[in-house]
Amino acid sequence: MKQKVIQILRCIAVWAASLALLTGLMFLTALIPDENIKDNLIESGLTLMKAEPHEPVTENMYHSIQDNYADAVLLGVISGVSSENPVYTAINTMYYDGGDKGESYGIVASAAGVKPNTDYTRYWHGSMIVLRPLLTFADIDSIKIISAFVMLFLASLSCYMLIKRKNTDIAVIFVLSLAMVQAFYVPISLEYIIVFTIMLALCPFYIQFSGNNTALLLLSVLGGTVTAFTDFLTTETMTLLVLLLLVLFIRIKDGSFSAKSDAGFASGCGAGWFLSYIFTFVSKWVLATIVTGENKFTAALESFAERTSGNAEEFENPVQQSFSALAANLTMLFPGPDRINPVAMLLGFGISALLAVFIIFKFRGNPSKGMIVILAVTAVLPALRFMVLGNHSYLHCFFTYRALMSSIMSVLGIIWFSLDRRKLPFSRQPEIKSVKKRKV
């Protein structure tokens, strides 16, 4: 009991300290003189004005849609932050909608001095901690290129660490999962980059501390806080599930996996991530309410309600929309021009299932049932997220579907760790290694 209380206090301390640090950094970057970012904001706005709000970068590939609208809003919020009043404008986040000319024009107008007119306080918009300094010397296109190299470096670092620890198979699963959600499209939008960068930045730490439950719990709290502080509600579950799967795979591989204890460990990390995520949002609404003297909870909760039970025009009820949201996100895993394509789903999943069954039966081993259950539950969680946030997940399936990376990792993990590796022609590893102790 005492140990649990200590862990809870540690989690609270990590959440409070990380939120305070992030908030301080946001205020600090808001002090960057508006003139220093004006030219690159205008250049970015002009670039976005030439493009459609949502357009595919590859013809007839719905999952390649570039969300220029969201990027315009994000840069509009940054443009609305004033170095002359950094604290107030960084908390009371607003942007100029551009009127009939649209949000992209709004960036240019706001940078030129037009006052913001649209409230967007339901998010922290903490990505300005990185984006505002970058805008002093780079426009949106240059920032995307820089981000692509950063993500490539972080992914390579994680793979190097896994391979160095003789977990090449886990590195392969990791890379395959990235490829199957078309991660190479992520740098096309600032909106997509945020969560992937957080996830990739945390990967080396989860790998390094894969045997230390306390460290992993605190990292999960940190991940939930940073995600809520910076994300636009895109693929947020990746900053928990992908990372936990890497840890579980490492434990399965080295023989230290225990279904009962690891289920409790994963649940604890999930609770820490979720609570820090929720309280980070709530703290923004509280702070915005105090700073502005207006109730910011109502608008935020109405927005959440719209993303859950709000109905797109083509649906008769939210239930139909929820299942359509799931179908749309699953469709995005396969090439095609449609939001929902039953044929592509049936063919894609049918062929994949047949291949998986063939491999398992040909090289089947004696897998832990507990392992299969834990990985299967993890695989289902993103699908539940799509259905709960049905309106949002349906309308924005072209980026939310990438949260399925953890589902793909789970399925590949079930297949791989269900095999007797001694039967594989290219492997000389024993099926089970000695059990290792890990810190709690």
Side-chain angles (χ1 to χ4, degrees):
M1 186 65 176
K2 182 180 178 181
Q3 187 176 9
K4 288 184 178 180
V5 172
I6 292 174
Q7 282 191 331
I8 291 172
L9 292 175
R10 284 174 175 170
C11 289
I12 294 172
V14 168
W15 172 76
S18 57
L19 182 58
L21 176 61
L22 290 168
T23 305
L25 289 173
M26 186 173 67
F27 292 155
L28 186 63
T29 56
L31 288 170
I32 295 173
D34 301 337
E35 285 296 318
N36 290 15
I37 64 173
K38 178 179 178 180
D39 290 345
N40 281 313
L41 274 174
I42 292 175
E43 184 65 30
S44 300
L46 293 174
T47 297
L48 291 170
M49 286 174 66
K50 298 174 185 176
E52 293 296 323
H54 300 97
E55 61 178 4
V57 297
T58 303
E59 188 176 1
N60 293 324
M61 295 292 183
Y62 201 91
H63 59 217
S64 74
I65 285 180
Q66 188 174 16
D67 198 343
N68 295 313
Y69 172 81
D71 285 357
V73 170
L74 175 57
L75 292 179
V77 168
I78 293 174
S79 184
V81 174
S82 172
S83 57
E84 295 179 359
N85 195 359
V87 173
Y88 182 84
T89 55
I91 294 298
N92 186 32
T93 40
M94 300 180 69
Y95 66 94
Y96 177 55
D97 63 9
D100 294 337
K101 296 182 180 180
E103 283 73 13
S104 298
Y105 169 76
I107 301 171
V108 179
S110 182
V114 176
K115 299 298 181 183
N117 63 354
T118 305
D119 180 271
Y120 214 7
T121 53
R122 64 179 177 268
Y123 295 115
W124 275 98
H125 307 287
S127 58
M128 70 175 78
I129 291 174
V130 175
L131 293 177
R132 197 169 171 92
L134 285 174
L135 284 166
T136 61
F137 63 88
D139 65 1
I140 187 171
D141 288 335
S142 299
I143 291 173
K144 290 176 182 178
I145 293 171
I146 294 169
S147 300
F149 279 106
V150 170
M151 287 189 290
L152 180 61
F153 168 76
L154 292 172
S156 300
L157 176 61
S158 296
C159 290
Y160 168 76
M161 291 180 67
L162 288 169
I163 293 169
K164 186 178 180 180
R165 291 165 172 252
K166 302 187 186 303
N167 289 316
T168 303
D169 49 351
I170 299 175
V172 171
I173 291 174
F174 180 68
V175 172
L176 280 176
S177 301
L178 282 169
M180 292 175 75
V181 294
Q182 294 85 33
F184 40 82
Y185 282 126
V186 170
I188 65 176
S189 286
L190 299 178
E191 179 192 25
Y192 306 164
I193 291 168
I194 298 167
V195 164
F196 268 81
T197 303
I198 295 169
M199 180 268 291
L200 292 171
L202 287 172
C203 276
F205 294 98
Y206 274 75
I207 294 169
Q208 179 65 35
F209 297 105
S210 59
N212 188 327
N213 284 358
T214 298
L216 294 171
L217 173 60
L218 298 180
L219 281 170
S220 298
V221 170
L222 176 64
T225 306
V226 176
T227 303
F229 195 83
T230 57
D231 185 37
F232 253 14
L233 193 61
T234 57
T235 54
E236 66 288 335
T237 56
M238 292 179 64
T239 62
L240 173 70
L241 299 182
V242 169
L243 301 162
L244 287 183
L245 284 167
L246 286 176
V247 171
L248 292 175
F249 289 171
I250 291 170
R251 293 181 178 184
I252 294 168
K253 181 81 177 293
D254 67 20
S256 65
F257 176 82
S258 166
K260 183 178 180 179
S261 63
D262 281 312
F265 148 74
S267 298
C269 288
W273 183 95
F274 181 76
L275 290 173
S276 63
Y277 183 85
I278 294 298
F279 282 118
T280 299
F281 270 108
V282 171
S283 65
K284 171 61 189 292
W285 306 337
V286 170
L287 197 55
T289 297
I290 294 172
V291 168
T292 64
E294 302 172 5
N295 182 358
K296 296 297 183 180
F297 278 82
T298 301
L301 294 175
E302 286 177 351
S303 175
F304 176 76
E306 180 182 350
R307 277 147 181 76
T308 54
S309 57
N311 233 23
E313 293 181 359
E314 57 263 50
F315 300 113
E316 295 179 358
N317 56 68
V319 174
Q320 183 185 7
Q321 181 176 248
S322 292
F323 283 98
S324 296
L326 177 58
N329 279 270
L330 292 175
T331 296
M332 293 300 101
L333 293 174
F334 308 102
D338 303 315
R339 188 191 295 267
I340 298 179
N341 189 330
V343 175
M345 281 193 292
L346 289 173
L347 283 175
F349 287 113
I351 293 171
S352 300
L354 288 173
L355 181 61
V357 169
F358 170 77
I359 292 173
I360 289 174
F361 273 89
K362 185 171 179 61
F363 304 107
R364 65 183 179 275
N366 186 28
S368 161
K369 292 181 180 178
M371 174 202 75
I372 294 175
V373 170
I374 292 174
L375 296 185
V377 169
T378 305
V380 170
L381 291 177
L384 294 177
R385 184 268 193 212
F386 298 148
M387 297 184 75
V388 170
L389 298 175
N391 177 270
H392 180 269
S393 301
Y394 176 78
L395 295 176
H396 304 295
C397 61
F398 49 85
F399 64 74
T400 59
Y401 85 96
R402 294 191 178 95
L404 289 168
M405 177 181 174
S406 57
S407 300
I408 293 169
M409 283 183 68
S410 297
V411 173
L412 291 177
I414 290 172
I415 294 171
W416 178 246
F417 293 112
S418 294
L419 306 181
D420 183 345
R421 279 175 256 166
R422 293 172 297 186
K423 297 179 181 179
L424 299 175
F426 52 83
S427 177
R428 296 180 180 178
Q429 297 178 352
E431 185 178 7
I432 300 176
K433 289 188 176 183
S434 59
V435 175
K436 294 182 179 180
K437 294 183 179 179
R438 59 174 180 266
K439 297 178 183 178
V440 294

